[in-house]
Amino acid sequence: MGRWGRQSPVLEPPDPQQQAQPPPAIPPRTFMRQSSITKIGNMLNTAININGAKKPQSNGEASWCFSQIKGALDDDVTDADIISCVEFNHDGELLATGDKGGRVVIFQRDPASKAANPRRGEYNVYSTFQSHEPEFDYLKSLEIEEKINKIRWLQQKNPVHFLLSTNDKTVKLWKVSERDKSFEGYNTKEENGLIRDPQNVTALRVPSVKQIPLMVEASPRRTFANAHTYHINSISVNSDQETFLSADDLRINLWHLEVVNQSYNIVDIKPTNMEELTEVITAAEFHPTECNVFVYSSSKGTIRLCDMRSAALCDRHSKQFEEPENPTNRSFFSEIISSISDVKLSNSGRYMISRDYLSIKVWDLHMETKPIETYPVHEYLRAKLCSLYENDCIFDKFECCWNGKDSSIMTGSYNNFFRVFDRNSKKDVTLEASRDIIKPKTVLKPRKVCTGGKRKKDEISVDCLDFNKKILHTAWHPEENIIAVAATNNLFIFQDKF
């Protein structure tokens, strides 16, 4: 029993004599499959002048304008190019995306757009690297996909950026740095890097610094592997910036960023007999300010808050958040649609949001009995749960996010719709990430879904929704009203217009 809990075994225990040594540096990879987002010929980087956009009547509320779209606009989309996660860093200057091909693409805020009046939310490709490769588990005869499940940024402490990326089994720590200088005129090696014979050195010279074009390098610093039997669904960096958690279906492990050969198991819900399994872990996240507190959600619609000060092993939660089911809505699909696909704590640490299949809920950490706010996302789909079950759409995992002031929340839906809810005015809007709007000065028009009867001009029938087009991953700039929405292989960036 360790200080943090049970120690998770690794498949290949390290040699005790080598444990004190720091992990060997991993050389940066040079080979990388090219992402469709970075193909110059196929990438549309539409920077628009929003100054000329017409101001809609908004009564002080934000309306959204198109800013950019990233990714190829071809109808033929390869599975490897589908975006699987989106994440802003802590100041919003960088925006990272991961895809099913194991690639990470980082975008940087355009300085000119930031200095413009009014400020524009435009991003350019900053760095692209191959984070994970497909692997094969020979012990279990299972193929491990390279798909990036989550990306999490560490807070910046110097000009270098660090981020964590994970696939189903392995978490990696990446260092992203800039280099605009090189050194030449060494005494012991040639200009091409070959070591010079010391006997041929007849005179000493002082190496000089040469200015070179800016290069952005991504290099792996740590690899955290062999600690998860099941697929990793969440990673979260602690507020102490020294530890992080990784969660799979049945366990949550705590890691130190400097230690790769061991982790501590802090939650384990695996029953002795797997036939008695009734729920799985769906998401987990650390508290933004309290380093000892974290939450995790389950497929039974419950959220548990744990305090690592109370016990090293947090199988017994401190609080449990659960809303009693409405008997009138009880059906065959009740357990499936009540499963929580995502949970996010607010920036203040006082509230959290949870997303189930049909709604998004706001919880006060001081009240466990029921949510303080409930917003229906696509209630019109309740009558279509049977067909959604048959095509497996009912198992889709929608994410949710806060804005920087905790006053609004956003989540995705089908037909490339996404929903924005204003907690102050209690108003909501349905918007569409469509290629039809990628024109300068385009203001997004609210969309409405008609469930039956006579359909109005601007409405779309629920029977006409395209369930193959879905917004699963969204991100909100931590300081400004700039949002990033992943639609299949395209990344849409929108900003507000008052």
Side-chain angles (χ1 to χ4, degrees):
M1 178 76 71
R3 177 174 178 266
W4 295 98
R6 291 196 296 267
Q7 183 173 342
S8 297
V10 296
L11 296 181
E12 297 180 0
D15 187 350
Q17 296 180 355
Q18 298 178 356
Q19 242 180 346
Q21 300 178 0
I26 306 175
R29 307 184 71 101
T30 57
F31 170 75
M32 179 186 66
R33 292 192 299 271
Q34 191 179 24
S35 167
S36 68
I37 293 184
T38 57
K39 292 177 184 175
I40 299 178
N42 293 332
M43 185 178 73
L44 176 62
N45 182 357
T46 310
I48 66 168
N49 181 10
I50 305 181
N51 295 338
K54 296 181 180 179
K55 291 187 177 181
Q57 297 296 326
S58 58
N59 297 325
E61 296 179 3
S63 60
W64 296 92
C65 296
F66 170 77
S67 179
Q68 284 177 303
I69 180 174
K70 306 291 185 179
L73 300 180
D74 302 333
D75 293 329
D76 186 15
V77 179
T78 60
D79 191 61
D81 290 334
I82 296 177
I83 298 175
S84 56
C85 56
V86 183
E87 187 77 10
F88 280 101
N89 72 337
H90 291 84
D91 59 6
E93 291 300 304
L94 298 179
L95 171 63
T97 65
D99 62 25
K100 289 188 175 182
R103 298 174 296 255
V104 173
V105 181
I106 302 176
F107 301 92
Q108 184 182 44
R109 183 84 177 267
D110 184 11
S113 70
K114 187 177 180 180
N117 187 17
R119 290 157 67 112
R120 302 193 306 272
E122 297 171 9
Y123 287 78
N124 301 318
V125 175
Y126 181 64
S127 177
T128 303
F129 58 92
Q130 188 75 31
S131 175
H132 288 72
E133 297 279 359
E135 301 175 23
F136 191 81
D137 188 339
Y138 292 97
L139 295 176
K140 298 182 179 179
S141 296
L142 293 176
E143 185 178 352
I144 303 173
E145 293 182 341
E146 64 269 36
K147 171 191 170 187
I148 306 298
N149 291 337
K150 295 289 180 182
I151 292 175
R152 291 292 181 264
W153 291 92
L154 277 67
Q155 288 188 2
Q156 187 179 9
K157 300 179 180 179
N158 51 46
V160 178
H161 298 275
F162 289 91
L163 63 85
L164 289 170
S165 64
T166 183
N167 65 348
D168 287 339
K169 296 292 183 181
T170 305
V171 184
K172 293 185 179 182
L173 174 67
W174 289 88
K175 173 185 176 182
V176 183
S177 57
E178 296 181 353
R179 185 161 65 93
D180 59 355
K181 295 179 178 64
S182 67
F183 297 90
E184 57 183 21
Y186 289 101
N187 292 286
T188 58
K189 64 179 181 180
E190 304 289 349
E191 298 299 334
N192 56 9
L194 297 177
I195 301 299
R196 182 183 298 174
D197 187 352
Q199 296 180 356
N200 296 332
V201 179
T202 58
L204 294 178
R205 53 181 176 176
V206 178
S208 60
V209 179
K210 180 182 178 181
Q211 198 76 19
I212 62 174
L214 179 65
M215 296 176 57
V216 180
E217 299 175 328
S219 56
R221 307 298 294 172
R222 303 282 187 275
T223 299
F224 308 90
N226 302 331
H228 284 279
T229 306
Y230 308 97
H231 291 178
I232 299 173
N233 55 49
S234 301
I235 54 175
S236 179
V237 181
N238 200 342
S239 60
D240 62 13
Q241 297 294 303
E242 292 184 357
T243 56
F244 72 94
L245 64 78
S246 58
D248 63 24
D249 294 337
L250 298 179
R251 294 187 179 98
I252 301 178
N253 293 333
L254 181 67
W255 302 81
H256 195 283
L257 286 167
E258 299 294 332
V259 182
V260 299
N261 52 26
Q262 66 177 0
S263 64
Y264 293 96
N265 179 220
I266 54 177
V267 172
D268 187 350
I269 65 171
K270 181 181 179 181
T272 305
N273 183 1
M274 286 296 286
E275 294 181 356
E276 300 174 358
L277 181 66
T278 59
E279 63 178 338
V280 295
I281 298 170
T282 56
E285 187 178 52
F286 266 120
H287 192 279
T289 57
E290 302 293 334
C291 64
N292 50 281
V293 176
F294 67 95
V295 297
Y296 69 93
S297 59
S298 81
S299 58
K300 291 181 68 175
T302 62
I303 305 172
R304 296 178 177 91
L305 183 144
C306 300
D307 191 336
M308 292 188 291
R309 295 174 301 182
S310 60
L313 184 64
C314 299
D315 286 349
R316 299 182 62 180
H317 51 268
S318 301
K319 290 185 177 183
Q320 178 168 306
F321 302 84
E322 183 177 13
E323 183 179 25
E325 183 184 2
N326 187 348
T328 59
N329 293 331
R330 180 70 185 177
S331 70
F332 171 79
F333 307 104
S334 295
E335 292 186 3
I336 300 176
I337 64 176
S338 65
S339 175
I340 296 175
S341 58
D342 194 21
V343 59
K344 293 285 177 60
L345 286 154
S346 65
N347 298 285
S348 65
R350 173 66 184 271
Y351 306 99
M352 66 179 172
I353 51 177
S354 64
R355 172 67 203 268
D356 56 42
Y357 189 69
L358 293 179
S359 64
I360 187 168
K361 300 173 182 177
V362 181
W363 300 82
D364 189 331
L365 294 188
H366 295 179
M367 185 172 70
E368 309 166 47
T369 55
K370 62 179 181 179
I372 58 174
E373 301 164 23
T374 300
Y375 301 98
V377 177
H378 38 218
E379 186 65 25
Y380 47 80
L381 294 181
R382 188 178 292 274
K384 290 189 167 293
L385 293 179
C386 186
S387 59
L388 292 169
Y389 177 80
E390 292 175 354
N391 61 19
D392 286 342
C393 286
I394 199 171
F395 301 105
D396 287 333
K397 306 299 182 185
F398 292 95
E399 297 178 2
C400 53
C401 61
W402 294 90
N403 71 340
K405 298 180 180 179
D406 299 337
S407 59
S408 297
I409 52 182
M410 176 174 58
T411 190
S413 181
Y414 294 104
N415 206 69
N416 277 0
F417 288 169
F418 62 97
R419 307 265 282 144
V420 180
F421 303 92
D422 190 314
R423 298 183 58 214
N424 296 327
S425 65
K426 304 301 179 185
K427 294 183 179 180
D428 60 87
V429 63
T430 301
L431 303 171
E432 182 181 7
S434 171
R435 296 177 183 178
D436 298 335
I437 62 168
I438 54 175
K439 302 174 184 177
K441 308 177 183 179
T442 302
V443 178
L444 273 64
K445 295 181 179 179
R447 302 301 305 269
K448 293 184 179 181
V449 178
C450 174
T451 56
K454 190 175 181 180
R455 182 172 62 90
K456 296 181 180 179
K457 180 180 179 181
D458 295 332
E459 293 181 341
I460 181 173
S461 172
V462 67
D463 298 321
C464 298
L465 296 177
D466 188 346
F467 293 101
N468 293 319
K469 296 180 179 179
K470 59 192 77 173
I471 304 293
L472 299 178
H473 315 287
T474 59
W476 203 312
H477 192 288
E479 298 174 0
E480 301 179 37
N481 276 343
I482 300 173
I483 56 178
V485 175
T488 315
N489 67 316
N490 294 127
L491 179 70
F492 289 82
I493 300 178
F494 305 103
Q495 73 169 79
D496 67 342
K497 178 66 178 177
F498 288 88

